[in-house]
Amino acid sequence: MILSQNIEIEFKNLLIKEEYERLISFFSLPEDAFFTQENHYFDTSTFDLKEQNSALRIRQKGNHFEMTLKQPATDGLLETNQILSKEEASIAFSKGILPVGMIQNLVSKMEIPFSNLMYFGSLTTKRAEFNYENGLLVLDYSSYLNKEDYEVEYEVENYQRGKQLFLQFLNQHGIPQRETKNKIVRFYLEMKKNLGQS
């Protein structure tokens, strides 16, 4: 079991398809610059993690599986990552049983029983990422449930400088600022809509 923790500082903005395609053209991104990853989401039936502005996912890239707990931090999010075997991931998806370890301990400290977590489903993203102004610029096309969306993300180490550069980037490309929720929140909102919940 390999563990790591880091602070994630990122800015994000939803795009319309035309803006997404325009950025691909502007940065001359070939098809092989993109790769596919799948996010598998977990929470309790009453969304206890979401209520604490936290999220738990298992990200699958090929045969690599990594479980990540995201929790609020002063600037950005605290990410705790735990590498999983293919067998551990398979059990999590099929039975909703998550492996023990540091993430289990952190969830328990939030007073959420680890055994109450359940598997909700997955979101598939086609992603390109590249260096931009001392940060990482990411273009995403995501599909989940009956929905698809486009998004640009900018991952940085300094919040204030990153925010300034991201706003400049949007302005430079004529992209309006849009309220952009995290992927997991967008997934849950779509899931609730499909279930006829508000």
Side-chain angles (χ1 to χ4, degrees), residues 95-114:
K95 299 181 180 178
I97 300 173
L98 294 163
V100 299
M102 185 176 179
I103 288 178
Q104 177 193 27
N105 295 336
L106 291 172
V107 170
S108 297
K109 286 180 182 177
M110 299 165 70
E111 298 185 351
I112 298 171
F114 201 60

Side-chain angles (χ1 to χ4, degrees), residues 117-135:
L117 295 174
M118 54 190 290
Y119 178 50
F120 279 104
S122 66
L123 177 151
T124 301
T125 298
K126 181 180 177 183
R127 165 171 288 193
E129 53 187 36
F130 49 95
N131 293 326
Y132 176 82
E133 296 285 354
N134 296 318

